[in-house]
Structure formats: structure tokens, C-alpha cells
Amino acid sequence: DAKTTQPTSMDCAEGRAANLPCNHSTISGNEYVYWYRQIHSQGPQYIIHGLKNNETNEMASLIITEDRKSSTLILPHATLRDTAVYYCIVRVQMEYGNKLVFGAGTILRVKS
Amino acid sequence: DVKVTQSSRYLVKRTGEKVFLECVQDMDHENMFWYRQDPGLGLRLIYFSYDVKMKEKGDIPEGYSVSREKKERFSLILESASTNQTSMYLCASSLIQGGHTEAFFGQGTRLTVV
């Protein structure tokens, strides 16, 4: 299974863009990249996903390199409520169904 | 809204006990998952199920089993609890639509084995 590597922690100033990198150098051609975040004492929540192209939604943007070996999650204007653990995940396709393979995550601290 | 409900937020059990963790989802999802979460290790997949009575081992299945008799319910069983199974356990369910899989997580069960 593809594995992901993320920095253990990052700090970001409130109102600035937060750029969270992820390395997934062993990803296969049909495996999606997903990002989830987990706020303290809650279950992880979906943010965004992509396969090859860059993606944007109301929460974030996802930039995937052309070789698909890495990606960056961008929170354009970080707020204090964005302080959380961010997980970069590879979705592995199985014969029946699929599974999400989590890494250790990045602790993002947004500071005022 | 999709709801994934885990039966307990906190649980304390004794070593050697048989422990059942229950998870119920209300959105008719095919896929259900059990993860455990430990500091510095993130979420690790224990078992998942893609249909009733179907199950697949995840990355750390040893010491655990699962049961899925109904589509909405996925149970994690610790046959003989040990102290190294003290952890946060997270259940999730997902539906595949157009290739996109969004997993919805429960609030978690913090299990302490003494």
C-alpha cells in the first residue's frame, strides 16, 4: 500500500495561507489522494480529494505534482478554528470496496 | 446528515475480558471501517467490511475480530483484552459515488484496559 509522509507539526499566522505538504512517492496510478482533519476530541472530517488535477472547494485547495509523488493542501486564510491534525491519505482500491490508508498527520497550530 | 454512532465514548475493561465495540451508521453505506488511534501513529486500520458478512483485514488485525450481520452495524471484538489495546477506537462508514469515497467518522471510543 502507498504510504504518506507529512511533517509532524507546523505553525501558521492567523489570516495567512497554510500550506501543508505530503509525500506519497509510492502512490499507484489509480489511487486518490484525500485530506482529512481532526479537531480535538472529534472524529476526522473530509476536506478534499484529487487524482491528478488540482482541486478547490469552499474549504481548501489541493495541488498535486505532475508526477503525483507529492501534494500540498492549502488553507487560503487560516483561522484559529483551523487548528487541528491534518491527515494526507491514499485511497487504495481493493477487489471489493476500497480503504483509506492514513499517515501520522500534521499538527497545524494557527496563532493570532 | 450522515451519522455514525459509537455505543460508548469511554470504556474501562479488565485484562482478559471479551470486549465489544459497536458502531451504527444511518446512511446505507456499503463500506465500514474500524481504526485505532495512538499518539504519534495516526490512525491505523484494524478491519474493514465492504458488505454484510464480508470483512477484510487491515494493517493491525491481530487480537481483534469483527462482525457485520446487518448493513448498518459493524462490531469490533477484542477476544481477550490486553493493556496494549488501550487506545482510541474510531469507526467510519463510506459510500462510493462516481469514484469518490467520503468516509464519515464516529466520535470515537476511548478504551482503557486495566
Side-chain angles (χ1 to χ4, degrees):
Chain A
D1 291 349
K3 294 288 192 293
T4 59
T5 305
Q6 299 175 252
T8 303
S9 65
M10 293 181 64
D11 291 339
C12 177
E14 189 178 19
R16 303 297 292 270
N19 297 284
L20 291 91
C22 179
N23 180 287
H24 32 79
S25 58
T26 59
I27 196 169
S28 297
N30 62 348
E31 292 174 339
Y32 282 75
V33 177
Y34 277 70
W35 283 83
Y36 277 69
R37 76 178 183 184
Q38 186 176 24
I39 296 170
H40 183 62
S41 77
Q42 297 182 17
Q45 293 180 307
Y46 167 81
I47 301 173
I48 199 167
H49 75 285
L51 183 62
K52 294 180 186 177
N53 300 320
N54 299 337
E55 302 287 344
T56 295
N57 63 20
E58 65 278 4
M59 288 183 67
S61 295
L62 175 61
I63 308 298
I64 302 174
T65 58
E66 194 168 338
D67 63 7
R68 301 207 333 119
K69 292 184 185 296
S70 65
S71 61
T72 301
L73 177 75
I74 301 171
L75 307 178
H77 305 287
T79 70
L80 298 178
R81 286 176 294 181
D82 291 322
T83 292
V85 180
Y86 287 78
Y87 292 98
C88 171
I89 298 152
V90 171
R91 191 191 80 175
V92 177
Q93 188 68 42
M94 311 294 287
E95 182 177 357
Y96 301 103
N98 53 66
K99 63 179 181 179
L100 298 176
V101 180
F102 282 73
T106 296
I107 300 169
L108 175 68
R109 289 180 286 257
V110 180
K111 300 184 176 182
S112 58
Chain B
D1 282 350
V2 174
K3 185 173 275 189
V4 178
T5 304
Q6 295 182 230
S7 53
S8 305
R9 286 299 301 271
Y10 301 93
L11 213 52
V12 179
K13 295 292 181 180
R14 294 193 181 278
T15 301
E17 274 193 77
K18 189 169 186 176
V19 181
F20 293 85
L21 302 183
E22 305 288 345
C23 176
V24 177
Q25 50 96 1
D26 65 0
M27 282 299 289
D28 203 34
H29 286 174
E30 296 98 348
N31 296 343
M32 295 190 75
F33 308 83
W34 275 106
Y35 291 87
R36 65 176 282 175
Q37 182 173 28
D38 300 287
L41 297 177
L43 277 73
R44 293 179 292 166
L45 183 63
I46 305 171
Y47 268 97
F48 69 103
S49 169
Y50 52 86
D51 203 349
V52 176
K53 297 191 188 294
M54 308 303 286
K55 61 186 179 184
E56 290 285 340
K57 293 181 180 178
D59 299 318
I60 51 164
E62 296 79 18
Y64 303 95
S65 62
V66 290
S67 171
R68 193 160 180 208
E69 296 296 318
K70 293 184 178 182
K71 193 174 187 179
E72 67 270 19
R73 186 180 296 271
F74 192 35
S75 303
L76 180 70
I77 303 157
L78 287 66
E79 297 291 342
S80 178
S82 64
T83 54
N84 63 13
Q85 291 178 309
T86 290
S87 186
M88 171 69 84
Y89 290 87
L90 288 159
C91 174
S93 73
S94 72
L95 178 70
I96 301 172
Q97 282 183 324
H100 169 40
T101 301
E102 180 176 348
F104 295 86
F105 284 82
Q107 292 284 78
T109 296
R110 186 165 294 283
L111 173 68
T112 302
V113 182
V114 297

